[in-house]
Amino acid sequence: MLALVFLCRMSDCRLYAYQEEVVQRALRGENTIIWLPTGAGKTRAAVYVAEKHLETRPQGKVVVLVNMIHLVDQHYSKEFAPALASSYKVVAVSGVSIEKDFFGKVLRDSDVVICTGQLLHNALVSTEEEKRVELSEISLLIVDECHHTQKKMVYNQIMMDYMQKKMLGEETLPQILGLTASPGVAGEKSLDKAVLHVLKLCANLDSVIVSAEKSTCELDMKVPRPLRTFDIVEKRPEDPFGDHLKGIMQQIHVFMDPLGDILLREMGTQEYELDVVQLEKEGVKDYNRVLQQCAVHLRKYNDALLINDTLRMRDALMFLMEFYYTKMTAIIDDTDRFLVELFEENQGELQTLAKDLRYENPKMAKLEETLLRLFSPSVESRAILFSKTRRSTRCLNDWVLDSESLQKAGVKPAFVTGTASMTQSDQQYIIKKFRQGEVNLLIATSVAEEGLDIPECNLVVRYGLLTNEIAQQQATGRARAKDSQYSLVAQRDGPEVRREHLNIYLEELTTKAIAEVQQMDPQQFRAKLAELQSEAVFCSRTAQSKRKNGLHPASSVQLLCLNCLAPVARGSDIQLVEDKHYVNVNPDFKEKYNIGQQLVLDRTFEDWEFGGMITCNNGSCRKAWGHEVLYKKVALLPNVAVKHFALETPDGRTTVKKWKDIPFAVDDFSFTEYCQIHHPGLVD
């Protein structure tokens, strides 16, 4: 039996010896990263640190950052509120709560605030008094899943603000407490580079990294590792459906010949997808719409091959049918006509093949067998099935409902995906049903890998996934019940199996790298952190300068519809609202698009109302561009995504996925100036 070391004064919060060990430096006020495995109680340790911090800092303010919205309520209701709410004001703020619109006031009136990193970042850059927050107002900043403090992620943006203030000599900065089960090594395979990755994480959080070194036996007893199994299936003996898709793709290759300098690799692989993405860019750059559009269609066929490799043939066919349904009424030229007619000519044969059960995917049978090892009408079980895409989670959910054997075994599935395709309230509803047992098989994308608190989960299955060592560790940690199992369902010698073995090695390398960092001379460690922090601040300032100045004048850059390549706007038409929404302020732009279905969200915004989706109105193009927004009940503006456009620059044509990568500077939107021009009666 494990010894309970001590009791939190204001709750039933008890720390184990290994938890007491890892909080000591944080209790002394040092910036600390706590590294413990999933299920070991990192959050409970953080609650204890927060409590002791508030006891010794009468004016203390604790902010707890999470990286997913459903974790806001989980941390509030299961950890911080039960332990602290009787003596301190504890508040949870998320994107669906009205408190977000006066975040600054909420922080100043509270002792503990739990929110997403994005909400705090928005408050730090806000110019509105009710929303704005200064880092100096926070005395303890707890960063959950702190391994996300890297590159351009929001945690790192917050810490970059911290770092710049630190280098300017500001002393009233918060103490940092990071929590992670999986620091990772960023795919590095050598110990030296793995150590450097861990040092960069420590530098980004300005922290030491601590782990249980004296109480490992207790930790191993408290957090047993699940049994890892490889459920291997042999290669599909025949795949006429996939072969037929490849035949269609080969006809497209012939149609767009020559390919130029690009060599297309094996169809039905991630490498082929990278090749056709590059091919599309080359088509845009070379003013070659044949090449560009063929690349778009080839990518869809390759996606269908990947679906066919993971799911059912009918799922792959339905994916293509949905794509071509939109294309049949958006034919612009002979290239579109060829591609649409090519699919129509082959659709009947594909439908026939998709119905032939002799050629169904053997991986699905192995997945069914794996689930049936756990589920039966007489046994209460709970499992998470991780899959790669939103579509695959829906298809797997339908497959479970269609499976007679799984239904007889009492499997009750539901799927959960990210907020791009699922409302936050729906997410929370499904996760709640899973916790309560109304759902016993949660089919999820990576949204459920981190932080989901389900101790009873006794099976985790990874299916059709190629991910890094962090995602694998996080998924493994979801299996918390006694005698739980972790299964990889994959083809023999396939890429998933090879990646799984690599991740196991990288997990071991992470442990070695952290041990190396912990054994460094303290003075040498601090010097290395200072060096890395100086480099990071310099790079950040350089990037900010480039974004501010741009490579080209905004007026010299044209935006072209990515589908029909018609010029529709200039870079100087684009302005940035509240540091997050890119809108076109040129009133003539409204002549370039049609307004369609109303965008519906499950949350409200203080200054924003969302309007209809907008699409290109050049002939039959209908390319989606974004949606209209009504700002402050006055300014009706088209909010556009740059990924739907090609950029005509003085250096030629190019494409980018995100606005942060554009080669020109964007001015900030001024509501006052907009009203002076378009609504002068509203301005004094």
Side-chain angles (χ1 to χ4, degrees), residues 157-225:
Q157 294 178 50
I158 294 169
M159 288 306 300
M160 184 53 61
D161 185 22
Y162 170 102
M163 215 65 65
Q164 291 177 346
K165 285 178 166 57
K166 177 187 174 184
M167 291 189 173
L168 289 172
E170 292 193 25
E171 297 181 359
T172 52
L173 291 171
Q175 178 186 348
I176 306 297
L177 177 62
L179 310 174
T180 183
S182 48
V185 292
E188 300 292 356
K189 299 178 181 64
S190 70
L191 181 58
D192 287 346
K193 290 183 178 179
V195 167
L196 180 59
H197 173 77
V198 175
L199 284 169
K200 285 181 178 179
L201 180 64
C202 292
N204 291 345
L205 286 155
D206 197 32
S207 299
V208 298
I209 185 166
V210 300
S211 57
E213 299 178 56
K214 301 175 183 177
S215 310
T216 54
C217 292
E218 181 190 57
L219 178 61
D220 291 341
M221 290 174 61
K222 176 68 172 62
V223 191
R225 296 182 66 86

Side-chain angles (χ1 to χ4, degrees), residues 622-642:
R622 300 189 180 95
K623 172 69 176 177
W625 289 346
H627 56 271
E628 285 192 328
V629 293
L630 183 64
Y631 182 56
K632 293 185 181 291
K633 301 189 182 300
V634 174
L636 185 62
L637 302 165
N639 186 19
V640 293
V642 73

Side-chain angles (χ1 to χ4, degrees), residues 26 31-34 45-46 49 140-144 175-179:
N31 289 357
T32 307
I33 298 170
I34 292 177
V49 173
L140 174 62
L141 184 63
I142 299 174
V143 186
D144 189 38
Q175 178 186 348
I176 306 297
L177 177 62
L179 310 174

Side-chain angles (χ1 to χ4, degrees), residues 23 40 47 65 100 222 265 278 413 424 492 501 519 560:
V23 301
V47 170
L65 299 184
K100 71 181 186 302
K222 176 68 172 62
R265 286 170 283 185
Q278 185 60 36
Q424 294 165 13
R492 185 177 302 281
H501 285 298
Q519 291 164 15
L560 318 178

Side-chain angles (χ1 to χ4, degrees), residues 408-444:
K408 285 183 177 179
V411 180
K412 298 173 288 187
F415 64 90
V416 62
T417 63
T419 53
S421 61
M422 191 176 207
T423 66
Q424 294 165 13
S425 57
D426 285 346
Q427 251 187 17
Q428 292 166 347
Y429 175 70
I430 294 299
I431 291 172
K432 181 179 179 181
K433 289 182 71 174
F434 186 53
R435 284 202 189 102
Q436 295 173 342
E438 296 177 49
V439 167
N440 58 14
L441 175 63
L442 186 66
I443 306 170

